[in-house]
Amino acid sequence: MFTRHPGNPLLRPPAVRPSRTDLEVIGTFNAGAALYQTETLLLLRVAERPTNTPPGEIWCPYYEAGSLQFHVVRRDDPTYDTRDSRFVQNVQTGDLWLTSISHLRLARSRDGVQFMIGDTPWLLPTTPEEAFGVEDARITAMDGVYYVNYTAVSQYGIATALVATRDFVNIERLGIIFPPANRDVTLFPQKVRGQYVSYHRPMPGMFGRYNIWLATSPDLVRWGDHRRVLEASATGWESGRVGGGAPPILTAQGWLSIYHAADRSDRYALGAFLTPVDEPARVIARSRTPILAPEAPYETRGFFPNVVFTCGAVVQGDTLRLYYGAADETIALAETSLSALLSSLLP
Amino acid sequence: MFTRHPGNPLLRPPAVRPSRTDLEVIGTFNAGAALYQTETLLLLRVAERPTNTPPGEIWCPYYEAGSLQFHVVRRDDPTYDTRDSRFVQNVQTGDLWLTSISHLRLARSRDGVQFMIGDTPWLLPTTPEEAFGVEDARITAMDGVYYVNYTAVSQYGIATALVATRDFVNIERLGIIFPPANRDVTLFPQKVRGQYVSYHRPMPGMFGRYNIWLATSPDLVRWGDHRRVLEASATGWESGRVGGGAPPILTAQGWLSIYHAADRSDRYALGAFLTPVDEPARVIARSRTPILAPEAPYETRGFFPNVVFTCGAVVQGDTLRLYYGAADETIALAETSLSALLSSLLP
């Protein structure tokens, strides 16, 4: 179905200038995508970690009042569980600290393949709810405004926040739109029946699988009318979780959504589903097998192996260009015919 | 501060008729409370489990399309973890089933002490999101309408739903207002700055403690503008979690909220905090120690020991009557002077 670009991965960590001299970039992945004027824009997630830390210590970065701080944990401190390289956890309080921190970075391209990556962050963690990073931007254009929702991570949990921009320079913050634990939000590019619509993915903890829900809003800030849309399966490639990927794409057949699914081994693949234009909670066709699964070396090896994960696609004519994070480390591109993708979905 | 009623516990499981002959009542607790006409009304949580099940089996009740079903698990089935008496878990899929199921039952009283308990359920699990039960009602009166929010439990997680009634007979469903995982919602009895307001308690999973947040809404259905209000502490009686208790009470000093807190040993106590009338997210005074903690025998022993947990209080003059669940098994009553409670809160 999809053809991977021969230049993949398009964007790798060495191409990204760190936001500070005491940090190194370990991942550039999970990018929101949009067509803006004559360019393709990506909002990259850039993950960084401190360099030159003492071998016996783990320095966990976080932002406080706009300033980068480090929570230092000694590797031999029995209060902390340090076995997972991605985080440390205080076993007495349960408090978690991440070993890396993400911000959003703008990249721009005339051909959608060769990208100029900004030298400085586009959005840095600012609020207390973003102290551990901002991740996984999705871009939705409506009436000349580009809405960017992203994951805000902190000691308060994983939430979804929203900002708006007209020019990708001036940014207006609209706050937390889905409280913890909720991520993988995809905002529709137009109202349905007079309301804004988004898919969201609550994380219900020990009760319940990770399913895709729909919500509606009068103002993009207050969301409700929650309904389930797509559920993780009991077995197979969708048995671990499902969650929103690229924001829904309006087609002649209805709303096309490309989403991610993981199995119980945390292998992340992509699927697609279709809903009527005026009934975005009702799935009328979907992929029974992945439309893209980790197979290329840069997908099966990396920071977190066996992951393809999208936050954005752009459509020009019948061509759908899918930008996706590979192995939580790089950005790759795959293309398909929109009509062929739609035809492949089964009722 | 509080004086326990000498007749405590006011309501115990043997006083409640089961909803079906093949069920027994094991708990009547966590009741919403309201003054209605000349009476005090309670909406009890009634927990039931099947009787006469084979010793080698656990029958997990759930509602499907309005009909009670049982998921039967053999105690020797290695697919299931059956060690916790409250639930069983499929260790392969992670799916949970509860060993009991709750509905809401109306009880009414002329003196607030002697209650007539309805013979039949007031609200039974109906939607798929309620399959494992409806729990912990809170009642908020506004303009002649009584809004009842409650916890909806299912394989989709723990969510909060809302219904409305004018007469406690006819019930209008307003759907899920906070998606999983979120409970302990307390709705304010009047708008603030033109918006409905509620506290809510998202459960952020492995990231983040259980804190009290505020949200606002134009229509009671769609909620946003999420802000943190009160946080669990690092140590002490509030170190496990905090969550809403009784809906906020308007006083001359501001909004009074009685909330619950648990420590790391799951000992549940009650606290109180105060906010300005027009700034319900800003705590200006609070209790530094519990205003009520499990001490009486019916609080320290029972289905889940060492719990006092409130979903509702009523105020008449300077008297605050607090109805509370004791040990997840019975309903108890404690009274205090409203002015004395307010005076005890520290800036």
Side-chain angles (χ1 to χ4, degrees):
Chain A
M1 171 83 52
F2 277 93
T3 305
R4 287 172 174 81
H5 194 277
N8 275 350
L10 295 190
L11 297 168
R12 300 188 307 119
V16 182
R17 175 185 287 191
S19 64
R20 295 160 52 108
T21 54
D22 56 350
L23 297 177
E24 62 175 334
V25 174
I26 60 169
T28 175
F29 56 116
N30 298 3
L35 297 174
Y36 175 70
Q37 296 176 350
T38 59
E39 295 182 310
T40 299
L41 300 190
L42 296 181
L43 277 173
L44 315 173
R45 172 178 172 185
V46 173
E48 298 177 299
R49 70 177 170 203
T51 53
N52 300 319
T53 55
E57 296 176 354
I58 301 169
W59 288 37
C60 301
Y62 66 98
Y63 271 88
E64 188 171 72
S67 159
L68 187 66
Q69 308 286 333
F70 298 97
H71 179 76
V72 178
V73 173
R74 291 189 53 87
R75 289 184 190 276
D76 60 4
D77 182 348
T79 317
Y80 283 88
D81 183 343
T82 61
R83 289 172 297 178
D84 193 307
S85 62
R86 294 170 296 174
F87 59 83
V88 301
Q89 185 163 31
N90 185 315
V91 295
Q92 288 170 7
T93 65
D95 288 349
L96 271 182
W97 299 86
L98 295 184
T99 56
S100 64
I101 190 163
S102 292
H103 66 266
L104 304 182
R105 188 80 65 100
L106 188 65
R108 48 208 322 158
S109 170
R110 297 215 171 258
D111 64 1
V113 175
Q114 302 281 342
F115 281 88
M116 295 272 292
I117 304 173
D119 278 344
T120 56
W122 188 78
L123 193 78
L124 274 175
T126 303
T127 70
E129 291 83 5
E130 299 170 353
F132 293 175
V134 292
E135 307 175 352
D136 297 359
R138 272 99 172 175
I139 308 173
T140 299
M142 266 189 278
D143 301 328
V145 179
Y146 295 81
Y147 295 96
V148 180
N149 64 265
Y150 58 94
T151 306
V153 185
S154 72
Q155 61 169 305
Y156 303 110
I158 295 171
T160 294
L162 182 67
V163 299
T165 184
R166 288 182 173 273
D167 53 13
F168 288 91
V169 176
N170 299 291
I171 301 172
E172 179 192 4
R173 286 180 170 268
L174 299 171
I176 300 284
I177 56 170
F178 289 96
N182 207 321
R183 71 190 318 171
D184 299 326
V185 170
T186 56
L187 175 63
F188 284 60
Q190 64 186 45
K191 289 184 180 179
V192 176
R193 300 185 178 192
Q195 297 277 343
Y196 295 104
V197 181
S198 70
Y199 295 133
H200 61 106
R201 212 285 301 279
M203 290 176 276
M206 76 182 293
F207 267 93
R209 299 179 188 147
Y210 288 16
N211 304 314
I212 296 175
W213 293 57
L214 175 141
T216 67
S217 171
D219 58 7
L220 292 168
V221 170
R222 298 175 179 87
W223 292 89
D225 192 18
H226 301 281
R227 282 170 284 168
R228 282 171 292 107
V229 176
L230 193 82
E231 298 182 20
S233 57
T235 59
W237 64 287
E238 299 179 305
S239 57
R241 58 186 61 191
V242 293
I249 296 162
L250 187 59
T251 75
Q253 279 73 50
W255 291 109
L256 171 67
S257 290
I258 299 176
Y259 67 98
H260 71 265
D263 65 15
R264 295 183 192 285
S265 306
D266 278 337
R267 182 177 188 260
Y268 280 75
L270 300 178
F273 66 86
L274 190 70
T275 75
V277 171
D278 59 349
E279 290 180 275
R282 185 163 70 90
V283 175
I284 53 176
R286 60 186 293 197
S287 51
R288 299 294 169 185
T289 55
I291 60 170
L292 192 73
E295 290 164 6
Y298 49 88
E299 296 161 356
T300 59
R301 292 197 292 267
F303 183 76
F304 196 85
N306 294 310
V307 173
V308 294
F309 188 100
T310 188
C311 296
V314 300
V315 173
Q316 288 177 296
D318 189 50
T319 300
L320 185 147
R321 285 189 149 171
L322 182 75
Y323 296 93
Y324 64 98
D328 278 7
E329 184 170 322
T330 64
I331 296 283
L333 169 62
E335 289 188 2
T336 189
S337 148
L338 183 59
S339 51
L341 176 57
L342 288 167
S343 301
S344 74
L345 304 182
L346 302 174
Chain B
M1 171 85 51
F2 277 92
T3 304
R4 288 171 173 82
H5 194 277
N8 275 351
L10 294 190
L11 297 168
R12 299 187 309 119
V16 182
R17 174 186 287 192
S19 65
R20 295 160 51 108
T21 54
D22 55 351
L23 297 177
E24 63 175 332
V25 174
I26 61 169
T28 175
F29 56 118
N30 298 1
L35 297 174
Y36 175 70
Q37 297 175 350
T38 59
E39 295 182 311
T40 299
L41 300 190
L42 296 181
L43 277 173
L44 314 173
R45 171 178 172 186
V46 173
E48 299 176 299
R49 70 178 170 203
T51 53
N52 300 320
T53 55
E57 296 176 355
I58 301 169
W59 288 38
C60 301
Y62 66 98
Y63 270 89
E64 189 171 71
S67 159
L68 188 67
Q69 308 287 332
F70 297 98
H71 179 76
V72 178
V73 173
R74 289 188 53 88
R75 290 184 189 276
D76 60 4
D77 182 346
T79 315
Y80 283 88
D81 182 342
T82 61
R83 288 172 298 177
D84 193 307
S85 63
R86 293 169 298 174
F87 59 84
V88 301
Q89 185 163 31
N90 185 314
V91 295
Q92 287 169 8
T93 65
D95 289 349
L96 270 182
W97 299 86
L98 295 185
T99 56
S100 64
I101 190 164
S102 292
H103 66 265
L104 304 183
R105 188 80 65 97
L106 188 64
R108 47 208 322 158
S109 170
R110 297 215 171 258
D111 64 2
V113 175
Q114 303 281 343
F115 281 87
M116 295 271 292
I117 304 173
D119 278 343
T120 57
W122 187 79
L123 193 77
L124 272 176
T126 303
T127 71
E129 292 83 3
E130 299 169 353
F132 293 174
V134 292
E135 307 175 349
D136 297 359
R138 272 98 174 176
I139 308 173
T140 299
M142 265 189 280
D143 301 329
V145 179
Y146 294 82
Y147 295 96
V148 180
N149 64 263
Y150 58 93
T151 306
V153 186
S154 74
Q155 60 170 305
Y156 303 110
I158 294 170
T160 294
L162 182 67
V163 298
T165 184
R166 290 184 172 271
D167 53 13
F168 287 91
V169 176
N170 298 291
I171 300 172
E172 179 191 5
R173 285 179 171 269
L174 299 171
I176 300 284
I177 55 170
F178 289 96
N182 206 321
R183 72 190 316 171
D184 298 326
V185 170
T186 56
L187 174 63
F188 284 59
Q190 65 186 44
K191 289 185 179 177
V192 176
R193 299 183 177 193
Q195 297 278 342
Y196 296 104
V197 181
S198 70
Y199 294 133
H200 62 106
R201 212 286 301 279
M203 289 176 277
M206 76 182 293
F207 266 92
R209 299 180 188 148
Y210 288 16
N211 303 314
I212 296 175
W213 293 58
L214 175 142
T216 67
S217 171
D219 58 6
L220 291 169
V221 169
R222 298 173 179 89
W223 292 89
D225 191 17
H226 301 282
R227 283 171 282 169
R228 282 172 292 107
V229 176
L230 193 82
E231 299 182 20
S233 57
T235 59
W237 65 286
E238 299 179 305
S239 57
R241 59 186 59 192
V242 293
I249 296 162
L250 188 58
T251 74
Q253 278 75 50
W255 291 109
L256 171 67
S257 290
I258 298 176
Y259 67 98
H260 71 265
D263 64 17
R264 294 184 191 284
S265 306
D266 278 339
R267 181 176 188 259
Y268 280 74
L270 300 178
F273 66 85
L274 190 70
T275 75
V277 171
D278 59 349
E279 290 180 275
R282 185 163 71 88
V283 175
I284 53 174
R286 60 186 293 197
S287 50
R288 298 295 168 182
T289 54
I291 60 170
L292 192 73
E295 290 164 7
Y298 49 89
E299 296 160 357
T300 58
R301 293 197 291 266
F303 183 76
F304 196 86
N306 293 310
V307 173
V308 293
F309 188 100
T310 188
C311 294
V314 299
V315 173
Q316 288 178 296
D318 190 51
T319 300
L320 185 147
R321 284 188 151 172
L322 182 75
Y323 296 93
Y324 63 99
D328 279 8
E329 186 170 319
T330 64
I331 296 282
L333 169 62
E335 289 187 2
T336 189
S337 149
L338 183 59
S339 52
L341 175 56
L342 288 167
S343 301
S344 75
L345 304 182
L346 301 174

mmCIF file of all heavy atoms in Angstrom, chain A residues 9-36:
data_model
loop_
_atom_site.group_PDB
_atom_site.id
_atom_site.type_symbol
_atom_site.label_atom_id
_atom_site.label_comp_id
_atom_site.label_asym_id
_atom_site.label_seq_id
_atom_site.Cartn_x
_atom_site.Cartn_y
_atom_site.Cartn_z
ATOM 1 N N PRO A 9 15.616 7.302 6.828
ATOM 2 C CA PRO A 9 14.743 8.281 7.491
ATOM 3 C C PRO A 9 15.082 9.716 7.070
ATOM 4 O O PRO A 9 16.262 10.048 6.948
ATOM 5 C CB PRO A 9 15.026 8.052 8.971
ATOM 6 C CG PRO A 9 16.386 7.427 9.018
ATOM 7 C CD PRO A 9 16.535 6.648 7.760
ATOM 8 N N LEU A 10 14.069 10.521 6.875
ATOM 9 C CA LEU A 10 14.293 11.883 6.385
ATOM 10 C C LEU A 10 15.024 12.750 7.391
ATOM 11 O O LEU A 10 15.831 13.600 7.028
ATOM 12 C CB LEU A 10 12.950 12.563 6.066
ATOM 13 C CG LEU A 10 12.080 12.021 4.943
ATOM 14 C CD1 LEU A 10 10.954 13.008 4.665
ATOM 15 C CD2 LEU A 10 12.895 11.763 3.687
ATOM 16 N N LEU A 11 14.697 12.575 8.648
ATOM 17 C CA LEU A 11 15.268 13.427 9.697
ATOM 18 C C LEU A 11 15.756 12.552 10.834
ATOM 19 O O LEU A 11 15.018 11.709 11.344
ATOM 20 C CB LEU A 11 14.208 14.413 10.226
ATOM 21 C CG LEU A 11 13.666 15.411 9.199
ATOM 22 C CD1 LEU A 11 12.443 16.133 9.742
ATOM 23 C CD2 LEU A 11 14.756 16.409 8.828
ATOM 24 N N ARG A 12 17.041 12.812 11.198
ATOM 25 C CA ARG A 12 17.641 12.024 12.272
ATOM 26 C C ARG A 12 18.205 12.965 13.339
ATOM 27 O O ARG A 12 18.476 14.145 13.053
ATOM 28 C CB ARG A 12 18.736 11.122 11.720
ATOM 29 C CG ARG A 12 18.203 10.126 10.658
ATOM 30 C CD ARG A 12 19.265 9.116 10.261
ATOM 31 N NE ARG A 12 20.492 9.791 9.859
ATOM 32 C CZ ARG A 12 21.671 9.639 10.457
ATOM 33 N NH1 ARG A 12 21.788 8.775 11.456
ATOM 34 N NH2 ARG A 12 22.719 10.307 10.043
ATOM 35 N N PRO A 13 18.426 12.485 14.556
ATOM 36 C CA PRO A 13 18.882 13.361 15.641
ATOM 37 C C PRO A 13 20.125 14.192 15.309
ATOM 38 O O PRO A 13 20.173 15.374 15.704
ATOM 39 C CB PRO A 13 19.131 12.383 16.797
ATOM 40 C CG PRO A 13 18.155 11.277 16.545
ATOM 41 C CD PRO A 13 18.104 11.131 15.044
ATOM 42 N N PRO A 14 21.155 13.652 14.604
ATOM 43 C CA PRO A 14 22.351 14.494 14.372
ATOM 44 C C PRO A 14 22.044 15.754 13.568
ATOM 45 O O PRO A 14 22.842 16.707 13.597
ATOM 46 C CB PRO A 14 23.273 13.555 13.578
ATOM 47 C CG PRO A 14 22.826 12.184 13.913
ATOM 48 C CD PRO A 14 21.352 12.281 14.119
ATOM 49 N N ALA A 15 20.911 15.787 12.859
ATOM 50 C CA ALA A 15 20.576 16.964 12.048
ATOM 51 C C ALA A 15 19.962 18.092 12.874
ATOM 52 O O ALA A 15 19.742 19.181 12.351
ATOM 53 C CB ALA A 15 19.601 16.559 10.932
ATOM 54 N N VAL A 16 19.688 17.806 14.147
ATOM 55 C CA VAL A 16 18.979 18.787 14.975
ATOM 56 C C VAL A 16 19.943 19.413 15.979
ATOM 57 O O VAL A 16 20.618 18.699 16.735
ATOM 58 C CB VAL A 16 17.802 18.123 15.721
ATOM 59 C CG1 VAL A 16 17.032 19.163 16.538
ATOM 60 C CG2 VAL A 16 16.872 17.416 14.736
ATOM 61 N N ARG A 17 20.012 20.741 15.973
ATOM 62 C CA ARG A 17 20.853 21.435 16.949
ATOM 63 C C ARG A 17 20.189 21.345 18.324
ATOM 64 O O ARG A 17 19.008 21.656 18.475
ATOM 65 C CB ARG A 17 21.019 22.901 16.557
ATOM 66 C CG ARG A 17 21.780 23.719 17.583
ATOM 67 C CD ARG A 17 21.837 25.182 17.229
ATOM 68 N NE ARG A 17 22.756 25.407 16.106
ATOM 69 C CZ ARG A 17 23.163 26.609 15.722
ATOM 70 N NH1 ARG A 17 22.747 27.694 16.362
ATOM 71 N NH2 ARG A 17 23.980 26.741 14.705
ATOM 72 N N PRO A 18 20.940 20.940 19.351
ATOM 73 C CA PRO A 18 20.341 20.888 20.698
ATOM 74 C C PRO A 18 19.851 22.271 21.124
ATOM 75 O O PRO A 18 20.360 23.297 20.666
ATOM 76 C CB PRO A 18 21.492 20.409 21.587
ATOM 77 C CG PRO A 18 22.467 19.761 20.660
ATOM 78 C CD PRO A 18 22.341 20.465 19.345
ATOM 79 N N SER A 19 18.873 22.290 22.019
ATOM 80 C CA SER A 19 18.325 23.568 22.490
ATOM 81 C C SER A 19 19.269 24.261 23.461
ATOM 82 O O SER A 19 19.153 25.463 23.686
ATOM 83 C CB SER A 19 16.963 23.342 23.150
ATOM 84 O OG SER A 19 17.099 22.548 24.318
ATOM 85 N N ARG A 20 20.217 23.499 24.027
ATOM 86 C CA ARG A 20 21.224 24.047 24.941
ATOM 87 C C ARG A 20 22.519 23.267 24.736
ATOM 88 O O ARG A 20 22.495 22.114 24.309
ATOM 89 C CB ARG A 20 20.777 23.883 26.404
ATOM 90 C CG ARG A 20 19.539 24.675 26.794
ATOM 91 C CD ARG A 20 18.923 24.079 28.055
ATOM 92 N NE ARG A 20 19.896 23.925 29.109
ATOM 93 C CZ ARG A 20 19.936 24.679 30.216
ATOM 94 N NH1 ARG A 20 19.025 25.618 30.410
ATOM 95 N NH2 ARG A 20 20.862 24.492 31.144
ATOM 96 N N THR A 21 23.613 23.878 25.129
ATOM 97 C CA THR A 21 24.904 23.222 24.906
ATOM 98 C C THR A 21 25.132 22.050 25.847
ATOM 99 O O THR A 21 25.981 21.189 25.576
ATOM 100 C CB THR A 21 26.054 24.229 25.078
ATOM 101 O OG1 THR A 21 25.923 24.854 26.362
ATOM 102 C CG2 THR A 21 26.016 25.280 23.976
ATOM 103 N N ASP A 22 24.370 22.000 26.956
ATOM 104 C CA ASP A 22 24.546 20.882 27.890
ATOM 105 C C ASP A 22 23.554 19.751 27.639
ATOM 106 O O ASP A 22 23.402 18.865 28.458
ATOM 107 C CB ASP A 22 24.451 21.371 29.341
ATOM 108 C CG ASP A 22 23.143 22.111 29.624
ATOM 109 O OD1 ASP A 22 22.401 22.410 28.650
ATOM 110 O OD2 ASP A 22 22.878 22.406 30.801
ATOM 111 N N LEU A 23 22.887 19.800 26.475
ATOM 112 C CA LEU A 23 21.952 18.729 26.103
ATOM 113 C C LEU A 23 22.376 18.127 24.771
ATOM 114 O O LEU A 23 23.000 18.793 23.953
ATOM 115 C CB LEU A 23 20.524 19.271 25.970
ATOM 116 C CG LEU A 23 19.851 19.850 27.216
ATOM 117 C CD1 LEU A 23 18.478 20.399 26.868
ATOM 118 C CD2 LEU A 23 19.751 18.811 28.333
ATOM 119 N N GLU A 24 22.003 16.855 24.568
ATOM 120 C CA GLU A 24 22.167 16.230 23.259
ATOM 121 C C GLU A 24 20.810 15.715 22.779
ATOM 122 O O GLU A 24 19.969 15.316 23.581
ATOM 123 C CB GLU A 24 23.172 15.073 23.316
ATOM 124 C CG GLU A 24 22.738 13.934 24.231
ATOM 125 C CD GLU A 24 23.675 12.738 24.195
ATOM 126 O OE1 GLU A 24 24.349 12.548 23.171
ATOM 127 O OE2 GLU A 24 23.738 12.001 25.198
ATOM 128 N N VAL A 25 20.631 15.748 21.454
ATOM 129 C CA VAL A 25 19.379 15.281 20.862
ATOM 130 C C VAL A 25 19.451 13.767 20.686
ATOM 131 O O VAL A 25 20.369 13.255 20.041
ATOM 132 C CB VAL A 25 19.121 15.973 19.515
ATOM 133 C CG1 VAL A 25 17.884 15.382 18.828
ATOM 134 C CG2 VAL A 25 18.953 17.481 19.708
ATOM 135 N N ILE A 26 18.481 13.065 21.261
ATOM 136 C CA ILE A 26 18.466 11.605 21.113
ATOM 137 C C ILE A 26 17.310 11.125 20.241
ATOM 138 O O ILE A 26 17.266 9.971 19.843
ATOM 139 C CB ILE A 26 18.424 10.891 22.480
ATOM 140 C CG1 ILE A 26 17.162 11.290 23.264
ATOM 141 C CG2 ILE A 26 19.682 11.203 23.286
ATOM 142 C CD1 ILE A 26 16.937 10.436 24.496
ATOM 143 N N GLY A 27 16.374 12.035 19.931
ATOM 144 C CA GLY A 27 15.269 11.628 19.051
ATOM 145 C C GLY A 27 14.640 12.827 18.375
ATOM 146 O O GLY A 27 14.542 13.900 18.974
ATOM 147 N N THR A 28 14.267 12.649 17.109
ATOM 148 C CA THR A 28 13.429 13.627 16.423
ATOM 149 C C THR A 28 12.378 12.823 15.671
ATOM 150 O O THR A 28 12.673 12.167 14.686
ATOM 151 C CB THR A 28 14.254 14.554 15.505
ATOM 152 O OG1 THR A 28 13.348 15.392 14.800
ATOM 153 C CG2 THR A 28 15.122 13.792 14.535
ATOM 154 N N PHE A 29 11.150 12.859 16.178
ATOM 155 C CA PHE A 29 10.155 11.879 15.724
ATOM 156 C C PHE A 29 8.747 12.424 15.957
ATOM 157 O O PHE A 29 8.575 13.568 16.385
ATOM 158 C CB PHE A 29 10.387 10.530 16.426
ATOM 159 C CG PHE A 29 10.378 10.552 17.935
ATOM 160 C CD1 PHE A 29 9.416 9.871 18.655
ATOM 161 C CD2 PHE A 29 11.340 11.256 18.652
ATOM 162 C CE1 PHE A 29 9.408 9.879 20.044
ATOM 163 C CE2 PHE A 29 11.334 11.273 20.042
ATOM 164 C CZ PHE A 29 10.364 10.589 20.731
ATOM 165 N N ASN A 30 7.739 11.644 15.588
ATOM 166 C CA ASN A 30 6.329 11.959 15.873
ATOM 167 C C ASN A 30 5.991 13.412 15.564
ATOM 168 O O ASN A 30 5.674 14.205 16.449
ATOM 169 C CB ASN A 30 6.008 11.639 17.337
ATOM 170 C CG ASN A 30 6.186 10.167 17.662
ATOM 171 O OD1 ASN A 30 6.607 9.394 16.798
ATOM 172 N ND2 ASN A 30 5.871 9.773 18.867
ATOM 173 N N ALA A 31 6.032 13.755 14.281
ATOM 174 C CA ALA A 31 5.857 15.143 13.863
ATOM 175 C C ALA A 31 4.445 15.416 13.358
ATOM 176 O O ALA A 31 3.891 14.642 12.571
ATOM 177 C CB ALA A 31 6.850 15.466 12.747
ATOM 178 N N GLY A 32 3.879 16.543 13.795
ATOM 179 C CA GLY A 32 2.686 17.075 13.156
ATOM 180 C C GLY A 32 3.062 17.632 11.794
ATOM 181 O O GLY A 32 4.198 18.081 11.586
ATOM 182 N N ALA A 33 2.104 17.606 10.842
ATOM 183 C CA ALA A 33 2.399 18.034 9.471
ATOM 184 C C ALA A 33 1.283 18.933 8.963
ATOM 185 O O ALA A 33 0.115 18.750 9.309
ATOM 186 C CB ALA A 33 2.546 16.823 8.558
ATOM 187 N N ALA A 34 1.677 19.918 8.143
ATOM 188 C CA ALA A 34 0.680 20.802 7.532
ATOM 189 C C ALA A 34 1.254 21.420 6.271
ATOM 190 O O ALA A 34 2.475 21.604 6.149
ATOM 191 C CB ALA A 34 0.280 21.911 8.518
ATOM 192 N N LEU A 35 0.372 21.729 5.346
ATOM 193 C CA LEU A 35 0.734 22.563 4.197
ATOM 194 C C LEU A 35 0.498 24.010 4.608
ATOM 195 O O LEU A 35 -0.567 24.351 5.122
ATOM 196 C CB LEU A 35 -0.125 22.204 2.980
ATOM 197 C CG LEU A 35 0.048 20.772 2.466
ATOM 198 C CD1 LEU A 35 -0.963 20.484 1.361
ATOM 199 C CD2 LEU A 35 1.480 20.545 1.966
ATOM 200 N N TYR A 36 1.521 24.860 4.414
ATOM 201 C CA TYR A 36 1.404 26.262 4.800
ATOM 202 C C TYR A 36 2.029 27.100 3.690
ATOM 203 O O TYR A 36 3.220 26.930 3.380
ATOM 204 C CB TYR A 36 2.125 26.507 6.131
ATOM 205 C CG TYR A 36 2.156 27.957 6.561
ATOM 206 C CD1 TYR A 36 0.985 28.604 6.978
ATOM 207 C CD2 TYR A 36 3.344 28.683 6.546
ATOM 208 C CE1 TYR A 36 1.014 29.932 7.365
ATOM 209 C CE2 TYR A 36 3.376 30.007 6.935
ATOM 210 C CZ TYR A 36 2.203 30.630 7.338
ATOM 211 O OH TYR A 36 2.224 31.948 7.721
#
